[in-house]
Amino acid sequence: MTSIATARPSLTSNDSAVLQALFDAESSPSSGVTINSSLTSWPTSLNISETDLASLKQRETDIIRRLQSDKSPSEDTLKSALSDFDSLITKHPTYPSAYTNRAQTLRLLVDLIYNTTEANPADTELADAALFAPQTSQLCSRIFADLGQAITLATPASPADAVSTAQARLLADAHTHRGYLLLKAARAKKGLVGGDETGPERLRELSADQLEEMASRDFFFGGRYGNKVAQQLAVQTNPYAKMCGAIVKEAMRKEMEGDEKK
């Protein structure tokens, strides 16, 4: 990507600063988040005691280890893990981490179901379409619901409030995960990997541009809470950055054409 500092057209210092902020992921306001490692893992409003937290972490670890023990977990293994996460969440509905882990387990199940029903699962475009195929749309809806609930539970009441290390990590991962899915949905809407009838029903009425803008917002927050990949994706999907980029490129092209005619 062309650096603003090398642009040929003359820009005011303010324009340059604005454009640099749009194009440079490192200038995103991640510094606006205060991470305080001395805070308890989760806000007191979630009513998760330290005793309960230790037990919940151990139960999560046990479920995840069972999944990781098998290089290619079977459908039965995945469904068993999902059942365990369901039980955990039923007993502790305010525990954010369980929702993100259940969402990831659902992702594995979606891929498994799709790959066993498609003739060429190795095809990149087909693999991208897995989350938005008719046979997996309900599971996809559950993934979005779980990521949304995790974000709701972990997000501080005020943007100015400090967050714990665990909160920041979860919010970075959950926003980035959801942004990635929304970006896939935008691609599907454009007809690259699917069609208008793919994905969760609540997303079908949205245009590809709307989905991409939603993805950009999630990437922004993912980057704000510390995910470096999300910072880069936020820049790439930011509609204002793309618009300004097109304007700058056109101005540079005209400037260079003018120089050649002299």
Side-chain angles (χ1 to χ4, degrees), residues 32-34 156-162 224-225:
V33 174
T34 301
S158 167
D161 291 345
R224 194 168 186 262
Y225 285 105

Side-chain angles (χ1 to χ4, degrees), residues 109-202:
L109 182 59
V110 164
D111 289 340
L112 179 64
I113 291 174
Y114 191 78
N115 288 346
T116 57
T117 59
E118 291 297 324
N120 185 16
D123 184 280
T124 302
E125 290 191 355
L126 288 178
D128 282 347
L131 284 160
F132 305 98
Q135 65 267 41
T136 56
S137 61
Q138 288 188 343
L139 292 175
C140 187
S141 294
R142 290 178 60 189
I143 294 171
F144 274 100
D146 276 353
L147 292 174
Q149 182 65 3
I151 289 169
T152 297
L153 291 169
T155 298
S158 167
D161 291 345
V163 297
S164 69
T165 303
Q167 269 181 284
R169 186 182 302 115
L170 181 142
L171 288 168
D173 292 345
H175 276 294
T176 303
H177 190 171
R178 190 170 67 179
Y180 181 63
L181 299 182
L182 287 167
L183 192 57
K184 281 179 173 287
R187 292 182 62 203
K189 184 68 70 171
K190 291 176 180 177
L192 297 178
V193 296
D196 288 340
E197 298 305 314
T198 59
E201 186 174 351
R202 63 187 181 136

Side-chain angles (χ1 to χ4, degrees), residues 17-199:
V18 171
L19 289 172
Q20 186 66 28
L22 286 169
F23 284 109
D24 183 5
E26 295 302 316
S27 67
S28 62
S30 56
S31 59
V33 174
T34 301
I35 300 176
N36 187 339
S37 59
S38 67
L39 291 175
T40 57
S41 296
W42 307 110
T44 55
S45 59
L46 299 185
N47 295 317
I48 302 174
S49 68
E50 288 301 311
T51 302
D52 284 341
L53 181 59
S55 174
L56 288 169
K57 284 182 176 179
Q58 185 59 55
R59 289 178 63 185
E60 269 189 306
T61 300
D62 291 342
I63 297 170
I64 293 169
R65 280 177 178 167
R66 289 203 303 273
L67 288 173
Q68 293 176 337
S69 65
D70 190 345
K71 209 169 186 182
S72 300
S74 67
E75 185 172 343
D76 286 342
T77 299
L78 291 170
K79 287 183 175 179
S80 175
L82 287 172
S83 178
D84 289 339
F85 278 125
D86 290 345
S87 298
L88 190 157
I89 289 171
T90 297
K91 293 180 180 178
H92 298 275
T94 61
Y95 183 49
S97 182
Y99 290 95
T100 56
N101 282 312
R102 187 169 68 177
Q104 186 57 41
T105 306
L106 285 165
R107 279 286 305 277
L108 293 174
L109 182 59
V110 164
D111 289 340
L112 179 64
I113 291 174
Y114 191 78
N115 288 346
T116 57
T117 59
E118 291 297 324
N120 185 16
D123 184 280
T124 302
E125 290 191 355
L126 288 178
D128 282 347
L131 284 160
F132 305 98
Q135 65 267 41
T136 56
S137 61
Q138 288 188 343
L139 292 175
C140 187
S141 294
R142 290 178 60 189
I143 294 171
F144 274 100
D146 276 353
L147 292 174
Q149 182 65 3
I151 289 169
T152 297
L153 291 169
T155 298
S158 167
D161 291 345
V163 297
S164 69
T165 303
Q167 269 181 284
R169 186 182 302 115
L170 181 142
L171 288 168
D173 292 345
H175 276 294
T176 303
H177 190 171
R178 190 170 67 179
Y180 181 63
L181 299 182
L182 287 167
L183 192 57
K184 281 179 173 287
R187 292 182 62 203
K189 184 68 70 171
K190 291 176 180 177
L192 297 178
V193 296
D196 288 340
E197 298 305 314
T198 59

